[in-house]
Amino acid sequence: MTNETVSTHPESPFLARLLTDMRSGGREALDQFWRDVAQQGTPLVEPLQDAPGERLVTVVWRQDRPVTGVYLLANRVTDKHLARRGMMRRLDGTDVWYVSLRLPVGLRCAYRIHPFGPDDPYLTSDGPRDGTSRLLPDDRMDPLNPHVTGPFGSLIELEGAPSLAEWLSPSPSSAGRTDAFDFPAADGTTYRVRRFVPDTDGPRSTLGLLVVFDGERWFDRHGITTAVTAAVEAGRMPPLAVLGIEAGSDVAARMRQLGANPAFIDMLADELLPAVTAELPGWAGPRHTVLCGQSLGGLTALAAALRRPAAFGTVLAHSASTWWRPGMASRPQAGVGERDTWLYEQAAEAPVTDIRVRMDVGSNEGTMVDDLRRLHTLMADRGFDASLNVYSGGHDHSCWAAALIEGLAETLAGEHTAAG
């Protein structure tokens, strides 16, 4: 272990007190520290006198084996070019590894902790070997984080972050029927689809429909049906059926499907939606149908709003991939720069309709924020019903989940009131 990894002057007052207590209490003070941390949960969040809009956030890991170092991967906070910020230090004379970060109030992000040895294939003391955290195993959550067993794993959540109540404390069960089926499209492509239909009060019920891309993740990993059920039971929105279209793990296939593919958008509007809604009791019609996507799915949702606006009443686009342009097979190394994005060009030429478009993007998502600000300004100036929300966070499913429920509640509130 090198001297560079050892700390004797931590910025965190909590850790500084531990060093003071150990001078008189020794090992018992250290054991008490871990008992206290286990009781209050991690990360440790402390005020900063010189920055009232920020908090000192300290993530700790208890060493249980010999390691060369420990890396904290926090979404868009210590990943990519910021990886060095996530390298932990060992508190001198203890089994405490830690890293302290000054973070803005309102931030939410998922994080993982990666202890590593000298021969680790992914990490060195300088960070990820290949400069990216994409290949790191997704299996080292923080066992002391109160949300570790939840749908998004370990979370940093500071006061003011949008609510995740429906996801973290959902209703005991989703009252309805969930199934999966293969849908054969006219062009010969077969799509795997998830479907949730809630219990209703009979044929007079008016039932909305939420269509989400990457359906396997939202259904299997994040529990979208229980979150939507909880929001409906809380009176935040009218009853909703949920349709999830799987994208699969193959990156190239996902890009073909969700790279604003016009054939896929037309299949969705002309084939899949009519087939599903024909069997949906009490469906309230296209105006009550919401299309939602993230990243490439967000790009495709916006493209669908411009290409087939009559099929949907609302589009929720989270962190839309503004870097994409037809003909791409992978993400470019550099941003789009000063030129107009493909999305901007489409919005400049598309006829203005009354479809509602809500865009959400994280403040830590670089040039994407400026791209979407320009797109929103263009659409609003042209007369589209468009809004943009920049949340404190990154390219993160925990942020998208909060935006999803908030977007549904905001856009469907009028329908719920009218139906009541």
Side-chain angles (χ1 to χ4, degrees), residues 63-74:
Q63 182 169 338
D64 57 5
R65 58 190 179 279
V67 295
T68 299
V70 185
Y71 170 53
L72 168 73
L73 191 165

Side-chain angles (χ1 to χ4, degrees), residues 33 36 39 65 130 140 146 155 159 169 174 179-180 212 217 225 233 241 247 266 279 322 329 332 349 413 416:
F33 165 83
D36 292 342
Q39 182 176 6
R65 58 190 179 279
D130 62 355
R140 294 184 174 94
L155 294 177
E159 63 265 39
S169 301
S174 49
D179 66 352
V212 292
R217 180 163 188 140
T225 61
E233 290 180 349
D266 290 343
E279 302 176 354
T322 55
E349 299 174 359
H416 194 197

